[in-house]
Amino acid sequence: MDIRSKNSCPTALSCSQSGQICFAAYTDDSLHMIDVRSPDVEHLFKSGGHSGMIKSIWISDDESILYTGGSDGTMRLWDIGTRSVIQTYGE
């Protein structure tokens, strides 16, 4: 698994407790999910409205919810299955 992205550097990285999935956020405000079982396939999540870089990432124990904290002072909850934001705090 290569966490480098074209013209961008990682700002945050987190792997699930099972070690099956990892998330990497980049300076270009992108968020990628890597399934460790298929490391050649990355799933792109849109930044979901963070107006700055994602600075922190946490994955729920059941691997269904992703939490991101941004330099814009907001925290977002994502449904990992649908790759969509389900809640925003701090707006």
Side-chain angles (χ1 to χ4, degrees):
M1 173 175 62
D2 186 355
I3 64 166
R4 292 173 293 177
S5 182
K6 292 181 181 176
N7 303 318
S8 189
C9 297
T11 59
L13 176 68
S14 183
C15 293
S16 64
Q17 286 188 354
S18 71
Q20 297 299 310
I21 56 174
C22 295
F23 285 86
Y26 296 90
T27 53
D28 66 1
D29 300 334
S30 65
L31 178 63
H32 299 254
M33 180 178 79
I34 300 103
D35 184 333
V36 176
R37 296 163 291 199
S38 311
D40 295 335
V41 178
E42 288 190 23
H43 302 280
L44 180 65
F45 281 54
K46 290 293 182 188
S47 181
H50 278 292
S51 61
M53 289 186 291
I54 294 171
K55 302 296 245 171
S56 60
I57 302 171
W58 185 78
I59 304 165
S60 66
D61 293 343
D62 66 1
E63 300 178 4
S64 66
I65 304 293
L66 177 72
Y67 301 80
T68 58
S71 62
D72 60 359
T74 65
M75 181 179 80
R76 301 190 189 282
L77 281 63
W78 303 72
D79 180 304
I80 291 175
T82 63
R83 298 184 216 160
S84 60
V85 174
I86 55 176
Q87 185 77 40
T88 301
Y89 296 96
E91 283 189 318

